[in-house]
Amino acid sequence: MREIKKVTIVGANGTMGRNVAAIFASFGNADVYLVSRSIEKSRKAKEKAYQSVRAESVKEKMIPADYSQLKDCIIESDLIFEACAEDFEIKKSVHHMIADSLEQLSKEQSHEKIVCSGTSGLSVTELAKIYEKTFRSHVLGMHFFNPPYQMVLCELVATSFVDQTLLQEIHRYTEERLLRTTVEVKDQPAFLGNRIGFQFINEMMQLAEMYKYNGGIDYIDAIFGAFTGRAMAPLVTANFVGLDVHQAIADNLYENTSDFAHESFMLPKYVKVLVQEGKLGRKAGAGLYKTIVHDSGVKIHQVYDIDNGHYREIMKYVLPFAEQMVSCFQTGDYDAGFKVLKNNHSVEAELCLKELLRYILYALYTAEEVGYDVHAADDVMASGFNWCPPMALIEALGGEEEVRRLCCERLGNDWLSFEIQKKLIDKVEKSKYDYRRFFKAKH
């Protein structure tokens, strides 16, 4: 296995930069240079980084630096990890700086280095073209999920230039040293996990707008709560990730993909308004949701009301199908719980089942397009989102034949032809994940 003793993180002051630095320092036992625009930002990043892995011992392995020291850090490092903002022009400028530093080294020195981009969906191939032709084989994407201490997925993105031996060495390193669930994916927009996950989330945003008179955002999250196989409701997830990050991923997919789900990547107007107003989610104090802390310490949780453009208190929705599913799950009777979902014909239950079926089909389709086998879809959704993965969800709903029947009955063939639905489901294999761990007996 390749030894990676020293790592440079460029853009270490960002949330992902400092959290990934902690992963390399703790699990990888590497010395890590934290490079930011200023040394003050890097020092602050160091203070926050060790907290993300809950181990103060890694602090001594982190070395704050700034851009004036970048070349010196690169000389010392085995791996350079770019973790800058998800903006192609920003990433290009940073990779030009890294490339310039590498060109000042001898050929032998530079070719011992590995350069990784932490992009969540931009073209790694285009970034690799910034480097000399002889070095492009050492550039790849290494996409961690947030927060990486809890979400153990790592997508390795190979370009057509990549050295296959190097790729396999890094695959082993991320799995065996960094303890990641590592999935190799093609260099396609948003890669695999985010393409599946953000298709679902953006569709939930669209549904919130469609059902704004029923309640909108918190109404949709109530329909797709923990009892539907996810650790966090979809729009709560978007609020956690950041609406600016969500917009960057959704816009990238809308502009650069053309599959049958293309329109589901169109960002709703109200989300654009929130981004323009700087209401980016949890990190900004307000977004789809908002928390007000009174002087007494009492917290009031609010939600953005799409209809009137103001925040209001979160409502408690009484959804009989959800109550019954949760009751069944509490006694361990999962079969009965899923029968409730399939047999209840309320607006909410039918919407829930329809979207879960669409999630299954789009995940299977995307695994074929972007991944290398059908299990990749299960790995990225289980390890990157903590959602019930598609093949496990098929088992939960009663197996392939039952899911084919449900797709025919609930989806028709206007979104995806019956022939393609059947073809996708026919390729399903037994999931290595137990669906029961994802379905929680709570709202």
Side-chain angles (χ1 to χ4, degrees):
M1 185 192 300
R2 181 177 287 263
E3 285 294 315
I4 296 177
K5 296 179 180 178
K6 293 186 178 180
V7 175
T8 291
I9 306 287
V10 188
N13 56 301
T15 302
M16 281 304 291
R18 64 175 181 259
N19 287 348
V20 170
I23 296 297
F24 280 112
S26 56
F27 294 99
N29 197 34
D31 292 325
V32 181
Y33 296 102
L34 305 173
V35 180
S36 309
R37 291 284 173 193
S38 69
I39 197 76
E40 290 77 16
K41 287 183 177 181
S42 292
R43 286 173 181 148
K44 288 178 182 176
K46 175 180 177 177
E47 288 305 309
K48 291 181 179 179
Y50 81 92
Q51 295 171 10
S52 72
V53 291
R54 304 165 193 172
E56 190 160 349
S57 59
V58 303
K59 282 175 79 171
E60 63 188 34
K61 302 189 76 62
M62 296 188 197
I63 306 148
D66 60 28
Y67 279 99
S68 68
Q69 301 166 283
L70 180 60
K71 183 186 172 185
D72 292 335
C73 295
I74 287 174
I75 289 172
E76 294 294 322
S77 295
D78 304 299
L79 185 147
I80 301 96
F81 185 94
E82 170 270 306
C84 298
E86 193 68 0
D87 178 295
F88 195 70
E89 292 306 312
I90 292 173
K91 287 187 181 292
K92 270 177 64 179
S93 67
V94 169
H95 281 276
H96 275 294
M97 291 170 63
I98 297 170
D100 289 345
S101 296
L102 288 169
E103 285 172 18
Q104 294 175 44
L105 306 181
S106 69
K107 197 168 186 178
E108 290 74 23
Q109 279 181 306
S110 67
H111 280 240
E112 292 174 357
K113 315 296 181 186
I114 305 158
V115 173
C116 297
S117 174
T119 175
S120 56
L122 299 175
S123 173
V124 179
T125 300
E126 291 304 310
L127 293 175
K129 288 177 182 177
I130 291 168
Y131 295 83
E132 289 185 341
K133 286 185 178 180
T134 55
F135 187 78
R136 291 174 189 174
S137 60
H138 284 234
V139 180
L140 51 106
M142 188 184 282
H143 177 212
F144 292 88
F145 281 66
N146 192 31
Y149 186 71
Q150 284 87 19
M151 299 299 178
V152 297
L153 176 64
C154 176
E155 289 182 317
L156 279 186
V157 189
T159 70
S160 58
F161 312 121
V162 79
D163 181 311
Q164 288 297 322
T165 301
L166 173 68
L167 180 65
Q168 293 313 307
E169 287 176 351
I170 296 300
H171 190 134
R172 280 190 62 200
Y173 170 76
T174 55
E175 281 198 330
E176 296 177 21
R177 287 286 172 83
L178 302 186
L179 304 181
R180 305 289 100 185
T181 297
T182 303
V183 178
E184 292 179 28
V185 297
K186 299 167 190 172
D187 191 11
Q188 297 287 332
F191 314 133
L192 184 56
N194 280 347
R195 185 153 167 186
I196 298 168
F198 282 82
Q199 187 278 329
F200 188 87
I201 291 171
N202 204 67
E203 196 157 76
M204 296 301 104
M205 288 179 167
Q206 293 176 348
L207 287 173
E209 189 167 49
M210 188 183 302
Y211 289 92
K212 63 184 177 182
Y213 299 120
N214 298 61
I217 292 165
D218 55 346
Y219 173 71
I220 293 299
D221 270 352
I223 295 172
F224 295 94
F227 62 94
T228 67
R230 63 205 73 249
M232 192 183 286
L235 300 182
V236 172
T237 302
N239 200 65
F240 177 82
V241 169
L243 299 187
D244 53 338
V245 175
H246 176 92
Q247 181 177 29
I249 294 170
D251 285 353
N252 181 30
L253 284 163
Y254 187 73
E255 291 166 13
N256 297 299
T257 63
S258 57
D259 59 34
F260 58 90
H262 181 250
E263 293 306 309
S264 65
F265 293 114
M266 185 179 289
L267 198 70
K269 184 179 178 181
Y270 74 91
V271 182
K272 293 179 182 178
V273 169
L274 288 169
V275 172
Q276 287 167 3
E277 293 177 351
K279 296 172 181 174
L280 306 179
R282 182 177 172 179
K283 63 187 175 185
L288 300 178
Y289 291 93
K290 178 180 180 181
T291 300
I292 298 172
V293 182
H294 287 289
D295 294 339
S296 63
V298 175
K299 293 181 180 180
I300 296 177
H301 300 288
Q302 297 184 324
V303 64
Y304 183 74
D305 192 298
I306 300 168
D307 182 36
N308 62 37
H310 300 292
Y311 288 91
R312 58 164 173 80
E313 287 193 27
I314 296 170
M315 288 194 275
K316 170 70 175 173
Y317 296 92
V318 179
L319 306 176
F321 90 96
E323 301 287 343
Q324 292 171 36
M325 286 182 72
V326 168
S327 294
C328 292
F329 294 163
Q330 283 174 341
T331 62
D333 195 344
Y334 290 90
D335 287 344
F338 292 113
K339 280 178 183 174
V340 168
L341 178 61
K342 291 185 281 187
N343 296 328
N344 187 298
H345 292 284
S346 65
V347 170
E348 292 84 7
E350 291 200 343
L351 181 62
C352 182
L353 180 55
K354 176 184 175 183
E355 293 302 323
L356 291 180
L357 294 171
R358 284 164 69 102
Y359 160 67
I360 288 170
L361 292 174
Y362 193 69
L364 296 176
Y365 168 83
T366 310
E368 202 169 70
E369 294 291 305
V370 185
Y372 290 95
D373 64 61
V374 72
H375 289 281
D378 268 25
D379 284 335
V380 296
M381 299 320 295
S383 302
F385 282 79
N386 204 3
W387 291 1
C388 183
M391 291 195 295
L393 182 54
I394 288 173
E395 184 182 346
L397 290 171
E400 292 97 310
E401 188 175 336
E402 174 69 350
V403 168
R404 271 194 294 268
R405 182 190 71 79
L406 289 168
C407 287
C408 182
E409 178 186 290
R410 304 299 178 93
L411 300 182
N413 66 354
D414 55 340
W415 190 61
L416 193 61
S417 72
F418 292 134
E419 182 183 350
I420 296 176
Q421 290 178 28
K422 183 179 184 303
K423 177 187 169 188
L424 291 172
I425 297 170
D426 283 349
K427 292 184 177 180
V428 167
E429 298 174 12
K430 182 172 175 56
S431 176
K432 61 186 178 185
Y433 296 94
D434 184 342
Y435 68 81
R436 291 171 295 187
R437 66 172 259 213
F438 298 96
F439 289 90
K440 308 298 181 185
K442 61 181 181 179
H443 297 288

